[in-house]
Amino acid sequence: MVAKKASRMTIEKADKVGFCFGVKRAIDVLEKVARERGGVETLGAVVHNRQVLQKLAAIGVKVAKNVDDIRGDVVVTSSHGISPQLEEEIKDRNIEIISTTCPFVLRAQVAARRLAEAGFLVIIYGDAEHPEVRGILGWTKGRGLAALDDKFIARLDQIPRRIGILSQTTQVPTHFTDFVKKLIDTAFIRDSEMRIIDTICHDIRERQAAAIELAGQMDLMLVVGGHHSANTNRLAELCSQVTETYLIETAAEIQPSWLEGKRRIGVTAGASTDEQTVNEVLKSLPA
Ligand code: SF4
């Protein structure tokens, strides 16, 4: 933790902030390609962070909303990865794909494919609408579903004998284990086989642990990141269980009333927030 002491207020930054390994790698690739080609398109936003997207736009990175929206003959896909069906659709249009799929996401895709090929129904603990989860589901070739609770079990015609369970990479580990326990209670029946694979990203685990530790010592936590970023929202949710917490995209969103009477303020950030934005938040706090 880096501490900035003021006469009445202490401000501390969590140990783990700045881009995660996967986002940094994706942005490095994207910047290189954009500079070499004088611009390039990405399929969807490469990160859920407006400030980062604005910087990328300045070097010629354009966001194609979907495959029909791609104008050029090359597209960069995000660290969230894509399904094999989408990959094929893009290639069928003679568009070259430059993939920046994070290795942790790739690990989840491979696990999903192997489980499905071995005859398991693949359950992904995660948000079915998130691009990463849609991509992983695609690798199950119709033998998977995504859920955040066990209600789906009641809707199945019959409980499959073989169930494989994995997680969206950015979920909270304890929430994943609670989900697994519920599935064991409801779906682990006679002659069943269950395979549980931990596919939660190491960076996210460390980031969440560092944020919770810091929140425990603070009167207020500021979580810096995109309002639509899944991992940033989860960090804010975890910190809010410990202390008063606000999710902000930039320093401009800080309300002076939040700081009234606070002596210790902690700052953490999502995996797609660049360190410059975090430092701007730190600088804006009263010194
Ligand atoms: S949060 Fe984890 S899984 Fe997601 S891109 Fe970053 S390193 Fe990869």
Side-chain angles (χ1 to χ4, degrees):
M1 272 171 236
V2 179
K4 174 171 140 184
K5 257 198 182 269
S7 49
R8 289 180 306 119
M9 201 181 273
T10 299
I11 295 153
E12 291 194 23
K13 179 165 85 163
D15 283 336
K16 197 141 180 91
V17 294
F19 289 147
C20 65
F21 153 78
V23 168
K24 184 172 182 327
R25 182 174 165 273
I27 289 175
D28 286 350
V29 170
L30 190 51
E31 284 180 346
K32 185 170 178 283
V33 175
R35 291 215 161 89
E36 279 169 6
R37 294 172 172 262
V40 73
E41 288 165 282
T42 62
L43 184 58
V46 79
V47 288
H48 296 149
N49 185 292
R50 209 157 10 136
Q51 289 66 40
V52 175
L53 292 174
Q54 279 164 359
K55 282 182 196 160
L56 290 171
I59 57 163
V61 175
K62 293 198 180 90
V63 179
K65 288 193 199 90
N66 49 48
V67 181
D68 291 334
D69 204 24
I70 302 171
R71 294 285 164 263
D73 54 6
V74 176
V75 72
V76 178
T77 57
S78 83
S79 55
H80 296 316
I82 57 172
S83 67
Q85 299 81 2
L86 186 54
E87 195 177 308
E88 218 171 284
E89 193 185 335
I90 298 169
K91 285 185 182 158
D92 283 349
R93 297 182 188 210
N94 294 319
I95 298 168
E96 185 192 337
I97 298 173
I98 299 176
S99 164
T100 67
T101 306
C102 173
F104 289 119
V105 177
L106 196 63
R107 187 177 59 146
Q109 291 178 342
V110 170
R113 176 178 58 77
R114 287 191 179 147
L115 284 168
E117 283 171 359
F120 288 80
L121 174 70
V122 182
I123 312 293
I124 300 158
Y125 175 64
D127 171 6
E129 296 307 316
H130 191 280
E132 177 198 311
V133 176
R134 285 206 303 264
I136 299 170
L137 268 179
W139 289 90
T140 70
K141 308 240 170 96
R143 290 195 53 86
L145 58 89
L148 285 164
D149 57 47
D150 62 344
K151 289 188 191 123
F152 71 92
I153 293 284
R155 293 193 294 270
L156 295 174
D157 293 339
Q158 63 176 55
I159 295 177
R161 277 195 48 241
R162 308 184 97 189
I163 295 180
I165 311 170
L166 45 90
S167 175
Q168 181 177 358
T169 56
T170 51
Q171 291 292 336
V172 178
T174 52
H175 295 181
F176 178 52
T177 45
D178 287 346
F179 176 79
V180 169
K181 281 179 201 158
K182 278 190 200 146
L183 287 194
I184 291 171
D185 286 345
T186 49
F188 196 50
I189 50 170
R190 199 173 146 194
D191 297 330
S192 281
E193 183 178 354
M194 258 188 196
R195 275 198 210 164
I196 301 146
I197 303 178
D198 171 20
T199 51
I200 293 174
C201 154
H202 298 184
D203 180 288
I204 290 295
R205 267 181 200 277
E206 288 166 15
R207 199 172 288 257
Q208 289 174 350
I212 293 169
E213 191 194 334
L214 182 58
Q217 303 157 32
M218 298 292 123
D219 303 319
L220 175 76
M221 280 297 285
L222 297 175
V223 180
V224 191
H227 288 290
H228 300 294
S229 155
N231 80 82
T232 310
N233 274 285
R234 239 158 256 135
L235 266 186
E237 182 196 324
L238 286 171
C239 293
S240 69
Q241 288 163 7
V242 183
T243 192
E244 187 177 333
T245 300
Y246 296 96
L247 191 164
I248 52 169
E249 266 189 23
T250 64
E253 292 178 23
I254 299 171
Q255 303 290 318
S257 61
W258 299 347
L259 311 182
E260 277 169 23
K262 304 294 190 309
R263 297 183 65 84
R264 298 178 70 82
I265 300 179
V267 177
T268 186
S272 51
T273 309
D274 62 344
E275 208 144 1
Q276 193 189 325
T277 309
V278 179
N279 289 336
E280 282 163 11
V281 168
L282 288 166
K283 266 196 234 140
S284 76
L285 292 167

